[in-house]
Amino acid sequence: VSAFSGGINVYSSQDLYNWRFDSKVIKAFNGSATGNGLDLERPKVIRCAGTGKYVMWVRGTGFGNTPQLLAVATSHLPTG
């Protein structure tokens, strides 16, 4: 995740050496340097066995590491 990416991107790799951009799964919003006033960091994705959906948790922090917020997003596809 990059502060200049304007959101959170998904990449994939067959060999963990060569990477391919797949999609932007969370777009930035609002009007700051990152687009949403927060540094988006530490995204985690799992597949929910009960629903079959992919679930992402991502942390957002503002200037001075405050506020600290958590977002949860779901999708039928791992690429958003």
Side-chain angles (χ1 to χ4, degrees):
V1 177
S2 167
F4 303 106
S5 69
I8 296 178
N9 299 317
V10 171
Y11 295 84
S12 61
S13 174
Q14 297 287 326
D15 57 12
L16 300 180
Y17 182 77
N18 297 294
W19 291 88
R20 180 187 76 223
F21 171 80
D22 288 322
S23 65
K24 182 178 299 288
V25 293
I26 295 182
K27 295 180 181 178
F29 48 92
N30 295 337
S32 69
T34 59
N36 61 11
L38 300 172
D39 289 329
L40 301 176
E41 55 189 43
R42 302 179 186 158
K44 312 286 189 287
V45 178
I46 63 166
R47 185 172 180 271
C48 177
T51 65
K53 289 185 178 181
Y54 292 87
V55 182
M56 174 189 285
W57 288 266
V58 62
R59 178 180 156 190
T61 58
F63 182 75
N65 210 26
T66 182
Q68 293 189 5
L69 304 171
L70 177 67
V72 178
T74 62
S75 176
H76 291 285
L77 300 171
T79 55

